[in-house]
Amino acid sequence: MKIASARVIVTCPGRNFVTLVIETDQGVTGIGDATLNGRELAVASYLTDHVIPCLIGRDPSQIEDIWQYLYRGAYWRRGPVGMTAIAAVDTALWDIKGKVCGQPLYQLLGGKSRERVLVYGHANGADLHSTVEAVGRYIEMGYHAIRAQSGIPGIDKAYGVGRGDTYYEPADARLPTETVWDTAKYLDFAPRLFDKLREAYGFGPQLLHDVHHRLTPNEAAQLGKSLEPHRLFWMEDATPAENQEAFRHIRRHTTTPLAVGEVFNTIWDCKQLIEEQLIDYIRATVVHAGGITHLRRIADFAAMYQVRTGSHGATDLSPVCMGAALHFDTWVPNFGIQEYMRHTEETDAVFPHDYRFEDGHLICGESPGHGVTIDEALAAKYPYNPMCLPVARLSDGTMWNW
Ligand code: GCO
Ligand code: MG
């Protein structure tokens, strides 16, 4: 069997998605998510101009060799654009292998380690009161684990807060929206939010919180300490992780579990974090960390240090990534949790899939491959609509981490 053709589909059913479709000379089709929020066309071009010409004529069953070819062969290794493109190829090839073998992807990885996958949903509100109510709605929907983000008094456009009733969607304008960040106000507010949440709902629901790279290591240590009585499932991206050593300081001062990794692309981004057991959950995901092949390498390495997985699953990762991630989660022995932000109905219609939500868990389907397809005719009705993620500044104008 040979790869006969491959093409990239860019579509915007509510938000932008990039999808790679690979076809074999025997008519088997596999698809992979290639979405990099706000940088969609960079990945589309990398695939179309540089990767696809190298794929034609190759044996699609040689997933590992093709991965190594694209990683080593590029000479310029790593980075979000290249690794997202590799992930798309890898995901599509696993999909093809599943279809050729007539097996769901989790079977090819080693079979089920669990029947269903614990997910966390996103509750958010403009202020403390509405966030507490939003968490209640998620509990009613059956979620056992809920991420809580709230508007913060004195901070305009806080991270993680949706506008009106819509789901939170950060890529909101053609050019980056400017937001202003104030650490002191946040550190004052965040513990009060969790005081209220525990007061309202007790310790039954697992609660999570995303700091979104905003704090220094010492501020992160302070926040972790102040949240300890609330026994969070995790505190996410407490400080930027380019400097992996920074987490030593946080770790030394708090037992609040730490999660990092949604912006990581390779095992090298988290090597020290894992080896030194500086984190509890690694959040790398299929689409941005080199596909199933590389994510498996990261997860196996993490397992040696009792670090568990907690893959990124925001709406800017398409249902194709979610489908693949759920097969991965069903297999991976050191599974922790999976993020799950529901896609809109428009998105779900473009990407028919066989995974389903039940009692706070997602269950992957049994169809061969990863179980997600693309309706290309419908996708064509939603042209690309360029959108950027916001940026953040401190009140004196200094650029900060969004
Ligand atoms: C998360 C993330 C997202 C990102 C988004 C950027 O934990 O889900 O932090 O909200 O900001 O994926 O594209
Ligand atoms: Mg996050």
Side-chain angles (χ1 to χ4, degrees):
M1 191 183 283
K2 287 192 178 355
I3 296 175
S5 68
R7 58 186 179 278
V8 175
I9 297 164
V10 184
T11 178
C12 185
R15 70 159 350 281
N16 294 310
F17 295 109
V18 182
T19 309
L20 175 70
V21 182
I22 297 182
E23 268 170 1
T24 72
D25 57 356
Q26 293 179 24
V28 185
T29 300
I31 66 171
D33 183 19
T35 310
L36 184 61
N37 203 5
R39 295 291 182 271
E40 294 84 6
L41 299 186
V43 184
S45 156
Y46 192 84
L47 281 166
T48 307
D49 300 329
H50 306 291
V51 172
I52 290 175
C54 302
L55 294 177
I56 309 303
R58 285 182 194 280
D59 177 351
S61 73
Q62 292 186 308
I63 300 177
E64 185 67 50
D65 183 65
I66 291 175
W67 195 96
Q68 299 292 338
Y69 182 90
L70 295 174
Y71 180 81
R72 294 172 195 274
Y75 188 64
W76 313 106
R77 294 182 188 179
R78 306 164 64 192
V81 174
M83 294 307 289
T84 301
I86 293 177
V89 174
D90 188 78
T91 307
L93 295 181
W94 278 104
D95 195 25
I96 289 173
K97 197 180 276 294
K99 288 174 181 166
V100 169
C101 300
Q103 294 289 334
L105 177 49
Y106 72 79
Q107 290 290 13
L108 306 181
L109 295 171
K112 277 186 191 180
S113 298
R114 57 197 55 77
E115 295 301 322
R116 54 190 198 159
V117 165
L118 177 68
V119 297
Y120 71 91
H122 279 215
N124 61 72
D127 55 26
L128 197 148
H129 178 72
S130 52
T131 306
V132 172
E133 282 189 340
V135 168
R137 284 197 294 277
Y138 272 80
I139 293 171
E140 274 165 28
M141 281 190 275
Y143 283 83
H144 303 291
I146 302 154
R147 180 185 106 153
Q149 306 292 139
S150 172
I152 300 162
I155 296 186
D156 196 22
K157 304 190 194 108
Y159 163 78
V161 182
R163 282 159 296 172
D165 274 345
T166 55
Y167 298 163
Y168 174 59
E169 187 55 76
D172 61 357
R174 237 158 227 256
L175 291 176
T177 305
E178 300 247 343
T179 65
V180 178
W181 178 248
D182 188 320
T183 297
K185 291 190 173 112
Y186 170 70
L187 286 179
D188 176 45
F189 177 80
R192 288 196 277 130
L193 170 65
F194 287 90
D195 288 345
K196 276 277 172 279
L197 287 171
R198 286 302 187 207
E199 204 180 294
Y201 306 115
F203 282 82
Q206 297 283 3
L207 295 177
L208 299 84
H209 182 64
D210 191 348
V211 182
H212 220 265
H213 325 272
R214 302 294 166 92
L215 301 178
T216 65
N218 195 46
E219 290 159 355
Q222 287 172 27
L223 179 64
K225 241 183 182 175
S226 63
L227 293 175
E228 270 170 27
H230 301 306
R231 298 206 298 274
L232 259 54
F233 188 92
W234 78 36
M235 174 169 83
E236 175 180 333
D237 287 336
T239 197
E242 287 103 327
N243 175 14
Q244 298 182 40
E245 281 174 27
F247 280 76
R248 285 186 188 152
H249 182 77
I250 308 173
R251 204 44 156 182
R252 216 174 279 137
H253 292 283
T254 181
T255 55
T256 292
L258 303 173
V260 184
E262 67 184 38
V263 299
F264 292 169
N265 313 124
T266 72
I267 201 164
W268 303 102
D269 297 325
C270 46
K271 182 169 177 287
Q272 189 179 6
L273 287 172
I274 291 173
E275 256 171 2
E276 291 188 27
Q277 295 177 254
L278 302 179
I279 56 173
D280 300 277
Y281 296 93
I282 178 69
R283 304 199 63 246
T285 188
V286 174
V287 61
H288 299 139
I292 297 280
T293 298
H294 194 66
L295 193 61
R296 184 168 61 174
R297 212 142 274 156
I298 295 174
D300 281 342
F301 178 58
M304 291 168 61
Y305 299 93
Q306 288 145 303
V307 174
R308 292 190 285 163
T309 65
S311 285
H312 188 202
T315 36
D316 45 289
L317 284 57
S318 92
V320 182
C321 176
M322 183 55 79
L326 291 173
H327 283 268
F328 186 87
D329 296 338
T330 298
W331 157 73
V332 70
N334 50 326
F335 172 74
I337 200 165
Q338 168 69 51
E339 181 179 16
Y340 175 49
M341 276 174 85
R342 286 159 189 267
H343 288 108
T344 63
E345 281 174 20
E346 285 165 303
T347 300
D348 284 341
V350 169
F351 297 100
H353 53 260
D354 65 356
Y355 57 79
R356 62 181 204 278
F357 178 82
E358 213 179 273
D359 182 30
H361 295 74
L362 280 170
I363 302 166
C364 70
E366 290 295 322
S367 43
H370 55 51
V372 187
T373 55
I374 181 165
D375 179 335
E376 291 192 46
L378 191 56
K381 294 190 178 150
Y382 299 105
Y384 180 56
N385 180 20
M387 285 286 170
C388 278
L389 289 169
V391 296
R393 291 183 188 276
L394 302 181
S395 54
D396 68 357
T398 308
M399 275 298 291
W400 199 243
N401 313 302
W402 176 75

